[in-house]
Every structure is written in structure tokens, then in C-alpha cells.
Amino acid sequence: MVAPKPAALVMKVRAGKSGYPTNVFPSAEPRTVLHCAGELQRVIFEASGAKLPVVSDGGPLPRGVRPIFVGDSPAARKRGVSPEGLAPEGYRLAAGPGWAAIVGEVS
């Protein structure tokens, strides 16, 4: 597997709104993942006033949405991001054109 190249994630927020939803996947359902998505939502809201929705991968994302994948999922792995090789409690951040991912080792 080829590791994704580092990329900068710039989140545009205008009038308390952003095109980035936080994505949580049912395949990565541990409470830790849901907690992380909620924390990410809270921190972004406090910093910018934008409250990103937390959604699941129950279907395709709406057109034009730029996801932040939280947790190990097929969508993150499709982009070359997985928890493989991480130390216990470790995490990996990655970003590409129109997406970002936060994947951790949940034991």
C-alpha cells in the first residue's frame, strides 16, 4: 500500500458554515470513534462557529461535500489510510484533494 502524500487541509468557514461534514462509519463503531467525531465537531465549532454534522456511511455523500473520515473505514482505506502499523493508542492524520482522515488504533 502506498502512503498518502502529506497535504494541507484548509477549512473555509463563512458565516459559521463549512462544506466539511465529520464522517463516522458503522464499521468503526467503537464508542471511542463516536467520541472523537464529537470532539472534532466541538473544537471546530468553538474555533470557527461552524457546527459540522456527524454522519455515517449509510449511503453516498451529497455532491460537493468534502468529508473528514473519522475512524478505520473502507472509505479511508480506499484513500490509503489505515491504522496498520500504529502503536497502541496511536493515530494517523492524512489529507488529499477534498478530504481528510483521522484514523487511530482502537484496542
Side-chain angles (χ1 to χ4, degrees), residues 12 24 35 42 50-51 53 61 67 72 74 78 84 87 93-95 97 100-102:
K12 292 181 183 178
V24 179
H35 176 75
R42 181 186 63 77
K51 187 167 185 180
L61 290 170
D72 188 17
K78 179 179 174 184
E84 291 174 16
L93 303 173
I102 304 169

Side-chain angles (χ1 to χ4, degrees), residues 2 10 35 38 40 50 52 60 62 70 78-80 86 91 93 98-99 105:
V2 175
V10 177
H35 176 75
L40 179 62
L52 280 61
V70 178
K78 179 179 174 184
R79 290 160 176 85
L86 291 175
Y91 62 92
L93 303 173
W99 63 269
E105 178 57 47

Side-chain angles (χ1 to χ4, degrees), residues 30-86:
R31 284 186 149 178
T32 307
V33 174
L34 296 174
H35 176 75
C36 290
E39 281 297 295
L40 179 62
Q41 181 188 50
R42 181 186 63 77
V43 169
I44 290 172
F45 177 74
E46 288 177 2
S48 68
K51 187 167 185 180
L52 280 61
V54 176
V55 299
S56 72
D57 71 344
L61 290 170
R63 189 180 179 122
V65 168
R66 292 173 234 120
I68 300 172
F69 302 107
V70 178
D72 188 17
S73 68
R77 285 178 178 261
K78 179 179 174 184
R79 290 160 176 85
V81 186
S82 79
E84 291 174 16
L86 291 175

